[in-house]
Amino acid sequence: MDKFIKFNINGKQISFYDCGDKNADIVYVSSYIDSAEKLLSECKKLIKKPFSLVSVCGIRWDEELSPWPSAPVVSKDDRFTGEAGEYAKFLAEYLLPRTKTALEPKNRILAGYSMAGLFALYAPYVTDKFNKLVSASGSTWYPGFVSFVSHSEFLKKPEAIYLSLGDLESKSKNEYLQETENNTRELYKIYEKRGIKCTFELNSGNHFQDALHRLAKGIAWAIEPNKTI
């Protein structure tokens, strides 16, 4: 069985799987609950190359993954306080040093699902520590996000970006959620125009279907971009 090192930093629960290859890619995932073992198992069904995995949970989901403050969008209980910049700083200054292997990894991949997928796309505007991004069913409906991407520059341009969405995610009465697919496709065009290797995958189902498998597919593409998944 794959072994995870478990520890806490600033109240967040970290699960760190070290594959033992000091040159291997490291994947950083922000998770709502601790599903690191299940995600690793799902990834290993698709990925043959060695890679390490770091999962962070115990996140204040709405607050720490939202790029700037917003009124509620999905429900009246939304708490979009715009603390993603501080969370990115936590990853760069506290988490990366604790999960650094003996040699620098070839790639640091930042991945996430839903709001964590949105955060993965926002992070390179406030940190230069990740060179590949995975946004699976990302919350690209977030107010002002496409406009922000259109008018902003990365601190360091990512080498590759994976985008995916369920084909029913935009079937909603909510006017913001209705734009999720349009927004994701627009982001894909923007990234491609900026010379970033990018792919967009439309999966079957709504937002709550096959989350770990969708995330694993994105991670697999980031690690082995020329392989058919």
Side-chain angles (χ1 to χ4, degrees):
M1 181 179 290
D2 296 311
K3 297 289 183 69
F4 279 83
I5 301 168
K6 307 273 188 175
F7 55 93
N8 292 324
I9 306 178
N10 293 0
K12 294 178 174 58
Q13 294 81 55
I14 315 299
S15 298
F16 176 28
Y17 164 72
D18 185 347
C19 71
D21 183 335
K22 304 308 179 184
N23 288 310
D25 295 350
I26 301 182
V27 181
Y28 291 84
V29 180
S30 301
S31 302
Y32 190 72
I33 59 173
D34 185 5
S35 54
E37 287 87 353
K38 291 180 180 179
L39 176 60
L40 180 64
S41 176
E42 200 68 32
C43 287
K44 286 196 167 186
K45 295 175 185 176
L46 305 174
I47 304 166
K48 299 305 179 186
K49 292 175 62 177
F51 66 95
S52 295
L53 176 68
V54 181
S55 175
V56 187
C57 66
I59 305 163
R60 291 158 48 241
W61 193 252
D62 288 350
E63 294 92 335
E64 293 186 283
L65 299 178
S66 51
W68 45 78
S70 172
V73 174
V74 180
S75 79
K76 62 181 177 59
D77 297 321
D78 292 341
R79 298 174 302 278
F80 300 131
T81 55
E83 299 174 45
E86 288 302 307
Y87 178 55
K89 184 177 179 181
F90 161 79
L91 296 181
E93 296 186 3
Y94 293 94
L95 183 60
L96 265 64
R98 286 286 300 272
T99 54
K100 185 176 180 180
T101 50
L103 298 175
E104 284 296 307
K106 182 178 180 182
N107 297 297
R108 285 197 190 94
I109 300 165
L110 183 61
Y113 195 89
S114 192
M115 282 294 292
L118 175 74
F119 171 75
L121 299 179
Y122 175 71
Y125 297 96
V126 291
T127 180
D128 62 359
K129 300 300 184 182
F130 305 97
N131 65 314
K132 292 187 177 183
L133 314 174
V134 174
S135 177
S137 289
S139 301
T140 60
W141 46 259
Y142 198 82
F145 189 71
V146 173
S147 177
F148 169 81
V149 171
S150 298
H151 297 96
S152 302
E153 296 293 332
F154 297 110
L155 287 184
K156 182 180 179 181
K157 188 170 79 170
E159 295 175 21
I161 299 177
Y162 174 91
L163 303 167
S164 76
L165 204 64
D167 59 6
L168 298 180
E169 293 196 51
S170 295
K171 310 295 184 186
S172 172
K173 294 180 180 180
N174 185 298
E175 61 179 320
Y176 286 98
L177 300 186
Q178 288 172 5
E179 293 302 313
T180 307
E181 184 173 335
N182 290 337
N183 287 358
T184 305
R185 290 185 181 279
E186 183 61 27
L187 290 170
Y188 171 75
K189 293 177 183 177
I190 294 170
Y191 297 141
E192 276 213 317
K193 287 180 181 178
R194 294 184 180 177
I196 299 170
K197 184 178 180 68
C198 187
T199 192
F200 169 64
E201 184 170 11
L202 196 62
N203 298 297
S204 298
N206 62 34
H207 185 69
F208 301 99
Q209 291 179 240
D210 304 321
L212 289 180
H213 181 64
R214 291 182 188 180
L215 187 55
K217 284 200 295 181
I219 292 169
W221 180 88
I223 292 175
E224 301 178 297
N226 297 317
K227 180 181 176 181
T228 301
I229 304 301

